[in-house]
Amino acid sequence: MEVEVKIDDGGGVLRREERRPAPLELRPRPYKRGHGLDLTTICSTESQLWAGGDCGVRVWNIGDAYSYSCSTAGEPDTAFFRESVHTSPTLCLFPDAANNIVWSGHMDGKIRGWAMGTASFVNELFEPILSWQAHQAPVLSMAVTAYGELWTGSEHGSLKAWPWEATKRALSLAPTERHMAVLSMERSYIDLRNHIITLGTCSLTDSDMIFLLSDHSTGRVWSGGYFFLSLWDAQTRDVLKIFGTNAEAEFCSKHISATRNSPSEDKIKINFAKVSTKEKTQGALSFFRRSKNVVLEAADAVRRAAVRRQNEDDMKRTKAIAASTNQMIWTGYANGLLVQWDCQGNRIQEFMHSSTAIECLCALGTRIWIGYADGRVQVMEQDGNLLGGWVAHGSSVVEMAVGSGYVFSLASHGGIRGWTVTSLSPLDSRLRLALMQKGLSYTKKEDIKILAGTWNVNQERPTYDSLISWLASPASEASIVVIGLQEMEMGPGFLAMAAAKETVGLEGSSNGQWWLDSIGKILDEDMSFQRAGSRQLAGLLVAVWVRKHLWPYVGDVEVGAVACGLGRKIGNKGAVALKMNVFRRTLCFINCHFAAHLDAVGRRNADFEHVYENMTFGRISCGVSSVASEVLSSVQKFKGINAWRIPDPELVQTEKDSSSLLEEEMPELAEIDMVIWLGDFNYRLDDISYDEAINYIANKQFDALLVKDQLRREMKAGRVFQGMREGDIKFPPTYKFDRGQAGWQGYTSEKRRVPAWCDRILFRDSSNDKSAECNLVCPIVSDVAWYDSCMDVTSSDHKPVRSMFKVNVACIDEKIRRREYGDLIHLNTRIKGLLEHSNDIPDVVVSTNNIVLQDCDSSVLRLTNTSRLNTAVFDIICEGEETVSSGQTYGIPLRNASVRGCFGFSRWLQVFPASGIICPGETIEVCVDHEDFLTQKEYVDGHPRNSWCEDERDKLVVLLINVRGNVSSKTKQHRICICHCVSSKVQSLSIGEDEKIRTNVLQRSDFHQSELSTKLIPDDFIS
């Protein structure tokens, strides 16, 4: 039996609902840190997803993700993956599909190369095929340029290039010669800091190289740190421009490292009073006593100025960089700003769709995907128009990668989700609805019991027998035990010291530790129970213990505190809370102590509102609190600790548009599946005398007394604890008693205070109706098994209260859900039709499939989109290069083709733009240039040793033009054969054995600016 308080306005602590695309749950959020590999970075190929973590790398074959039979030991909910041997922590990854290698940069300064084919090894850890010491410090970033070179960045501005010729030579060596390959790579780098040809006297900064981005379209490389960017020519390895992220002016590294002047408003002036001769004789001790206030004020001013400057710098940090298909570069910042740059490093325009820190960017077709620190993902067109967004994870989205028809997002908690590239299309609702209709097949239910106890101990330590009476018997059947204590200590000196400790991030006391140890002993801690965590604020303490068998399914334990005492600073009144995930559902336990006295109802209501609005959570750290609430709140919001905490997308349905939710700011307590709120609420009984109350108690007429209860009245009026419920009260009021007196006779105190149920336990689950069924829409349904007090415990003027909750938790069998997801993608007729429609590729006509270049020629390649409706996206790669001997017939396929890294171009060939967008009915011109043969150099330990020039042999290159739709994952391909002929005679070209290729040589005079698309075909030609 329980009493439910219904609220007319529907406000309060109810959960918020939202809609978002249904993701492929590749790796569900781990239950706790260290549960499996802690992932930090991801990259994707057409069929695989690679992830790097704290002790190695792992790889998923996306085609295997839908298989139910596949499982992985240690992470049964994660899609089947293969894992590498143990390595130093992985900081960055870069795939090279041309050579089937994934490069990884590590904390130990090594670069490791992993064969993509290792995913076929089932029962063994795979090893790198190549590994060498690249830097003495961690490898922070890497990229493969448009000419196939691997560039890597490290600390203190270190930037190195590894020529493709050296990499190719090392990879060609047999496994038995691996030591030679390592030695070769370690000595074959180019130190770009020494190599650069700068503009004027400009030089590179010593800041860490956090970012490296290869712009394949323009043959440029962007490098940078938090506050600067550098633009490079990938062909010549020359730095073209170095500038600050504000792009106000180009500057040298000395400007970056220049000391910042302190803000004028924070000037610190310390004026020491003049000291008389008599005062001087009193010694140094007297001087410091008189000056201590001035010194402390100065120190506080220094701290405020440093924090302000640090916050300002943090908000200006560059957090992400990406290259879009229209030759533009995008950078994202900690203040939520998005900046667009052209290929020359000029700042074009800026947008801001959120004030939350941007963590990552990802370009796909004509769209830019943005990952935020609060777990949101937004999708934006390249013109800055925001298409929409949703909450993708419960923590920061640290990286995104495109592959296999998905945009994969990695959250800071280690979870990985795949979002279809067509997200924000009609497919979303269709897939989400179809998946929910199959919900019963992948729903599993877990039953747990939660024992919650609260006690105002009135600064007394009870006997061991009192603790046994309160907790021992009910704890034997509980899965989780929650304890809330009030007034452990209350002296003015203690409260002042506790407040001072909170301001510097410390908490706890010897008395609090005694209580933790004593209760732990009752619960047989470390044998039967595991302490999940605790939080103390002055005399308030909340602590949670979890059964050993349940502990593996518990994670993300976080704590928080809000002071409600004098000036909202002192912890004699306030609340402490602990939040954790159980079976990936969020439970929160709040212990509070509100304002006292009969007529302070309004203050108590205000205390509740203050706690509800301001409670934020941070991870538990040994001996460290979440710091003073007001100090942490701004930092937590910036870092995403106060990010929206939402359930899985399968849990809720509503007709609200999720985009409207993105601008709502909701208290963190509103995002929790179940809340148990306990403590000394201090609500009293109205309109009743002491004698009348005692008479009702003696006759056990509790219902008549409850009519006078302030808390029940305020809850029914919707002024406090909105949406929460309480078990049926069948026990006497728990306050106020004389110590040492058992039973209701203990109410005979000298002050003759009217007894009251000050000590209460309330709760709220996922349902709006106590008879609701537990399912994925309503994931937690709870009931009160019993609710009572311990009248035989007499050490305090309050009686301890306890309640047992029976909780049903609906969770997801991820393996079955992935199988159902795969069946919908591949077998559902309507969903397949929507996917096929999104994969429509416009027809693109290529002006020629053969180009001959002689004597530094330039040729123009015209690409025409014949569609009237659909935009085409193209990119051009080099499928291979071959040196042709005299008299040899040119043709495709190449006989002895050499493929550079990431299908990079030959160094004598320049293609611009190598990627772009073709609007319906328009033509874009691609310039294909033959550059003078560059002198080839062999580098040893960063310095050139040998050089040569190959300019007397014909070259044959095959370019591959990949054309796709705006958001399609499939491509159409066109091959272009480019011949560089040294001799005056142009040989005949052939494709295969039968088909001849026509020659089409266009001189430089035929070239038009490639940035401008021109309509060159008649309307009746367009279909």
Side-chain angles (χ1 to χ4, degrees):
M1 178 81 181
E2 67 183 38
V3 178
E4 179 178 1
V5 180
K6 294 184 178 179
I7 307 303
D8 293 335
D9 60 4
V13 289
L14 296 179
R15 292 166 61 241
R16 178 175 55 187
E17 300 176 339
E18 65 119 25
R19 299 177 69 186
R20 60 178 171 186
L24 171 63
E25 200 81 36
L26 197 67
R27 190 199 194 206
R29 178 177 187 166
Y31 286 110
K32 52 177 65 71
R33 293 282 179 177
H35 190 87
L37 187 66
D38 284 339
L39 303 182
T40 55
T41 183
I42 58 173
C43 72
S44 184
T45 68
E46 286 301 318
S47 61
Q48 295 179 342
L49 181 75
W50 288 70
D54 56 352
C55 58
V57 300
R58 63 174 53 171
V59 55
W60 286 267
N61 278 331
I62 304 304
D64 296 338
Y66 311 113
S67 174
Y68 174 76
S69 60
C70 294
S71 62
T72 306
E75 295 187 38
D77 290 338
T78 301
F80 182 70
F81 61 87
R82 275 83 176 190
E83 201 155 13
S84 74
V85 295
H86 189 281
T87 70
S88 172
T90 307
L91 303 181
C92 51
L93 293 169
F94 200 94
D96 178 4
N99 296 281
N100 291 318
I101 294 174
V102 172
W103 299 109
S104 60
H106 296 263
M107 183 71 74
D108 59 5
K110 286 188 176 182
I111 294 175
R112 293 174 170 88
W114 311 88
M116 293 182 182
T118 54
S120 62
F121 300 143
V122 178
N123 297 319
E124 60 183 57
L125 302 177
F126 58 87
E127 297 185 356
I129 59 173
L130 183 60
S131 173
W132 73 94
Q133 191 71 43
H135 296 269
Q136 296 304 311
V139 181
L140 302 178
S141 55
M142 60 170 48
V144 176
T145 72
Y147 295 93
E149 289 186 342
L150 177 64
W151 287 26
T152 59
S154 184
E155 295 178 351
H156 309 301
S158 176
L159 186 60
K160 295 181 179 181
W162 311 88
W164 168 245
E165 292 76 17
T167 307
K168 177 184 176 182
R169 184 168 58 250
L171 291 173
S172 66
L173 296 176
T176 56
E177 302 174 307
R178 183 170 297 178
H179 65 285
M180 297 176 60
V182 172
L183 181 60
S184 172
M185 289 302 298
E186 288 181 349
R187 305 196 66 185
S188 298
Y189 67 91
I190 303 170
D191 189 341
L192 294 173
R193 291 179 63 87
N194 297 329
H195 176 80
I196 60 174
I197 302 174
T198 61
L199 298 174
T201 59
C202 193
S203 60
L204 287 180
T205 173
D206 289 334
S207 300
D208 295 347
M209 287 290 178
I210 305 297
F211 308 107
L212 271 176
L213 173 69
S214 176
D215 183 6
H216 179 79
S217 177
T218 61
R220 304 288 172 82
V221 176
W222 293 66
S223 66
Y226 291 129
F227 303 107
F228 81 98
L229 291 171
S230 302
L231 181 59
W232 301 75
D233 186 323
Q235 187 181 40
T236 62
R237 308 186 189 100
D238 293 337
V239 65
L240 304 177
K241 193 174 184 181
I242 302 177
F243 49 96
T245 52
N246 58 12
E248 293 179 356
E250 296 184 15
F251 62 96
C252 302
S253 59
K254 61 181 180 181
H255 294 144
I256 299 176
S257 59
T259 303
R260 295 183 177 87
N261 295 324
S262 300
S264 58
E265 63 185 61
D266 294 320
K267 288 181 179 179
I268 302 167
K269 298 180 180 180
I270 306 176
N271 297 318
F272 292 99
K274 293 183 179 180
V275 184
S276 66
T277 305
K278 181 178 179 180
E279 290 173 333
K280 290 180 180 179
T281 60
Q282 295 179 2
L285 180 60
S286 176
F287 170 79
F288 282 116
R289 284 177 177 172
R290 292 194 311 275
S291 304
K292 66 178 182 180
N293 290 335
V294 178
V295 174
L296 290 175
E297 290 176 4
D300 188 54
V302 171
R303 181 186 60 80
R304 290 197 306 270
V307 169
R308 185 177 296 110
R309 284 196 299 272
Q310 181 63 45
N311 288 341
E312 290 174 355
D313 286 346
D314 286 343
M315 297 302 286
K316 295 176 182 177
R317 286 190 173 201
T318 307
K319 302 285 286 185
I321 187 169
S324 59
T325 50
N326 59 348
Q327 298 93 53
M328 294 294 175
I329 303 298
W330 292 84
T331 52
Y333 296 85
N335 59 2
L337 185 67
L338 277 165
V339 176
Q340 184 187 51
W341 310 78
D342 66 14
C343 60
Q344 303 298 327
N346 300 311
R347 190 173 181 136
I348 304 301
Q349 55 185 337
E350 59 187 46
F351 307 91
M352 180 177 283
H353 299 299
S354 172
S355 59
T356 306
I358 294 173
E359 294 292 329
C360 56
L361 296 171
C362 181
L364 172 64
T366 62
R367 296 180 174 186
I368 306 295
W369 288 54
I370 312 164
Y372 288 94
D374 59 9
R376 285 179 297 158
V377 164
Q378 289 182 342
V379 182
M380 181 186 73
E381 291 283 4
Q382 291 180 355
D383 61 3
N385 177 44
L386 183 64
L387 299 177
W390 61 91
V391 182
H393 296 277
S395 63
S396 301
V397 183
V398 296
E399 196 155 0
M400 292 185 287
V402 181
S404 305
Y406 293 96
V407 176
F408 293 100
S409 59
L410 169 66
S412 58
H413 55 53
I416 299 177
R417 284 173 170 160
W419 313 92
T420 61
V421 294
T422 60
S423 293
L424 300 179
S425 73
L427 176 64
D428 293 348
S429 57
R430 177 74 64 181
L431 182 57
R432 182 174 56 247
L433 179 60
L435 197 59
M436 289 192 66
Q437 290 173 345
K438 293 179 175 290
L440 288 178
S441 67
Y442 56 81
T443 300
K444 57 182 180 181
K445 298 181 181 179
E446 303 287 347
D447 297 327
I448 59 176
K449 290 185 176 181
I450 301 176
L451 172 64
T454 177
W455 191 7
N456 185 321
V457 299
N458 197 22
Q459 305 184 74
E460 294 291 333
R461 291 184 178 183
T463 64
Y464 185 74
D465 290 340
S466 295
L467 292 178
I468 289 286
S469 176
W470 180 32
L471 299 174
S473 177
S476 63
E477 58 178 306
S479 307
I480 299 173
V481 177
V482 183
I483 300 298
L485 302 175
Q486 307 88 41
E487 294 191 11
M488 291 187 303
E489 296 179 75
M490 291 294 289
F494 170 76
L495 293 175
M497 180 60 69
K501 291 170 65 176
E502 286 283 328
T503 62
V504 294
L506 299 177
E507 64 155 305
S509 66
S510 58
N511 206 17
Q513 190 60 48
W514 180 90
W515 277 98
L516 291 174
D517 294 341
S518 299
I519 297 174
K521 184 177 180 180
I522 297 294
L523 299 178
D524 192 20
E525 185 176 333
D526 295 331
M527 295 299 292
S528 300
F529 282 89
Q530 174 77 37
R531 190 194 307 169
S534 64
R535 179 67 165 96
Q536 183 176 345
L537 173 68
L540 285 165
L541 177 69
V542 65
V544 177
W545 285 264
V546 178
R547 284 277 179 188
K548 284 285 191 176
H549 70 84
L550 186 62
W551 181 244
Y553 305 99
V554 174
D556 295 325
V557 180
E558 298 180 335
V559 294
V562 175
C564 293
L566 181 63
R568 302 299 193 192
K569 301 291 186 182
I570 305 301
N572 61 317
K573 296 296 187 286
V576 287
L578 184 145
K579 182 180 68 171
M580 65 185 189
N581 283 349
V582 181
F583 297 112
R584 296 196 175 90
R585 305 301 177 206
T586 309
L587 307 181
C588 182
F589 311 105
I590 307 170
N591 172 36
C592 67
H593 192 189
F594 291 159
H597 304 304
L598 178 67
D599 58 352
V601 177
R603 289 173 55 196
R604 286 189 278 275
N605 291 354
D607 286 347
F608 161 78
E609 195 68 25
H610 181 66
V611 171
Y612 174 68
E613 294 289 343
N614 293 280
M615 181 65 73
T616 57
F617 294 88
R619 293 195 178 276
I620 294 177
S621 181
C622 183
V624 179
S625 73
S626 55
V627 193
S629 301
E630 295 185 8
V631 176
L632 260 190
S633 59
S634 61
V635 178
Q636 288 175 338
K637 288 177 182 177
F638 170 68
K639 293 185 177 179
I641 297 176
N642 194 27
W644 299 339
R645 312 290 177 159
I646 65 171
D648 289 331
E650 297 80 10
L651 304 187
V652 292
Q653 281 293 341
T654 180
E655 292 304 316
K656 291 182 180 180
D657 182 7
S658 63
S659 62
S660 65
L661 298 173
L662 295 177
E663 300 305 323
E664 283 187 49
E665 287 294 341
M666 294 285 286
E668 194 164 346
L669 293 178
E671 311 297 349
I672 293 170
D673 294 308
M674 182 176 183
V675 176
I676 294 179
W677 202 312
L678 48 81
D680 181 1
F681 296 175
N682 254 326
Y683 287 92
R684 309 300 173 89
L685 300 180
D686 276 333
D687 303 324
I688 191 171
S689 67
Y690 172 80
D691 291 330
E692 289 175 324
I694 293 297
N695 183 56
Y696 280 123
I697 294 170
N699 293 302
K700 297 185 178 180
Q701 295 177 317
F702 303 135
D703 290 340
L705 276 180
L706 285 169
V707 174
K708 311 291 185 178
D709 181 54
Q710 292 176 343
L711 179 59
R712 289 286 176 90
R713 181 191 67 204
E714 296 300 303
M715 290 176 68
K716 288 180 180 178
R719 289 189 286 265
V720 69
F721 291 107
Q722 296 90 340
M724 301 200 76
R725 310 200 296 269
E726 184 179 23
D728 193 16
I729 294 180
K730 297 296 184 181
F731 52 89
T734 56
Y735 175 83
K736 174 178 180 42
F737 288 86
D738 289 335
R739 294 176 184 172
Q741 293 290 328
W744 64 270
Q745 294 84 0
Y747 292 118
T748 57
S749 63
E750 294 180 1
K751 295 184 178 181
R752 294 176 61 83
R753 288 184 176 172
V754 176
W757 284 282
C758 292
D759 309 285
R760 311 290 275 268
I761 302 175
L762 308 180
F763 73 101
R764 186 267 298 164
D765 55 22
S766 303
S767 65
N768 296 326
D769 185 353
K770 61 182 180 181
S771 62
E773 180 183 358
C774 179
N775 52 41
L776 294 181
V777 177
C778 183
I780 292 186
V781 175
S782 56
D783 189 20
V784 177
W786 48 261
Y787 184 26
D788 67 6
S789 65
C790 298
M791 300 301 291
D792 58 335
V793 177
T794 62
S795 59
S796 170
D797 58 352
H798 290 252
K799 299 298 182 184
V801 176
R802 59 195 179 181
S803 181
M804 183 71 78
F805 296 91
K806 294 186 295 184
V807 182
N808 295 326
V809 182
C811 47
I812 297 173
D813 189 320
E814 296 293 351
K815 290 192 295 184
I816 297 179
R817 183 186 179 277
R818 280 192 296 270
R819 183 188 64 189
E820 298 288 1
Y821 191 98
D823 289 346
L824 290 173
I825 293 292
H826 297 112
L827 302 178
N828 185 284
T829 303
R830 291 185 176 181
I831 292 176
K832 281 183 63 179
L834 288 172
L835 283 173
E836 290 173 358
H837 178 71
S838 68
N839 280 321
D840 286 345
I841 304 173
D843 288 331
V844 172
V845 176
V846 181
S847 61
T848 183
N849 53 8
N850 170 34
I851 295 175
V852 177
L853 299 175
Q854 289 178 301
D855 301 325
C856 299
D857 282 338
S858 291
S859 181
V860 175
L861 185 65
R862 294 185 176 91
L863 309 179
T864 302
N865 181 2
T866 62
S867 171
R868 288 185 180 271
L869 299 175
N870 299 322
T871 298
V873 179
F874 75 93
D875 68 275
I876 304 175
I877 60 177
C878 181
E879 196 175 35
E881 175 187 3
E882 187 175 64
T883 300
V884 182
S885 302
S886 178
Q888 183 178 341
T889 301
Y890 304 152
I892 302 176
L894 303 182
R895 296 177 176 83
N896 299 298
S898 173
V899 182
R900 302 177 73 87
C902 290
F903 298 104
F905 299 120
S906 302
R907 296 185 65 83
W908 54 267
L909 182 66
Q910 189 175 59
V911 178
F912 179 83
S915 64
I917 299 169
I918 315 175
C919 296
E922 294 190 352
T923 294
I924 193 169
E925 296 179 343
V926 178
C927 181
V928 181
D929 285 338
H930 170 258
E931 298 292 324
D932 288 334
F933 271 105
L934 300 175
T935 300
Q936 302 294 313
K937 297 181 181 180
E938 181 180 20
Y939 285 80
V940 178
D941 297 333
H943 301 284
R945 289 291 184 266
N946 303 315
S947 62
W948 66 95
C949 183
E950 292 184 339
D951 60 351
E952 296 182 355
R953 291 185 292 178
D954 294 348
K955 304 286 186 180
L956 189 64
V957 168
V958 176
L959 299 184
L960 189 66
I961 303 176
N962 295 307
V963 180
R964 56 173 56 86
N966 186 24
V967 292
S968 65
S969 57
K970 296 181 180 180
T971 61
K972 289 182 179 178
Q973 296 179 334
H974 302 267
R975 283 181 171 81
I976 308 296
C977 184
I978 297 180
C979 175
H980 167 254
C981 294
V982 177
S983 60
S984 60
K985 181 180 179 180
V986 178
Q987 303 284 347
S988 62
L989 304 178
S990 64
I991 295 182
E993 297 180 356
D994 302 322
E995 185 179 355
K996 295 285 184 178
I997 304 178
R998 60 186 175 88
T999 301
N1000 179 20
V1001 181
L1002 300 178
Q1003 301 302 323
R1004 184 175 296 275
S1005 60
D1006 297 310
F1007 172 69
H1008 301 282
Q1009 291 295 325
S1010 60
E1011 290 87 345
L1012 302 176
S1013 296
T1014 55
K1015 198 168 185 177
L1016 300 178
I1017 53 178
D1019 291 337
D1020 57 356
F1021 180 75
I1022 302 176
S1023 59

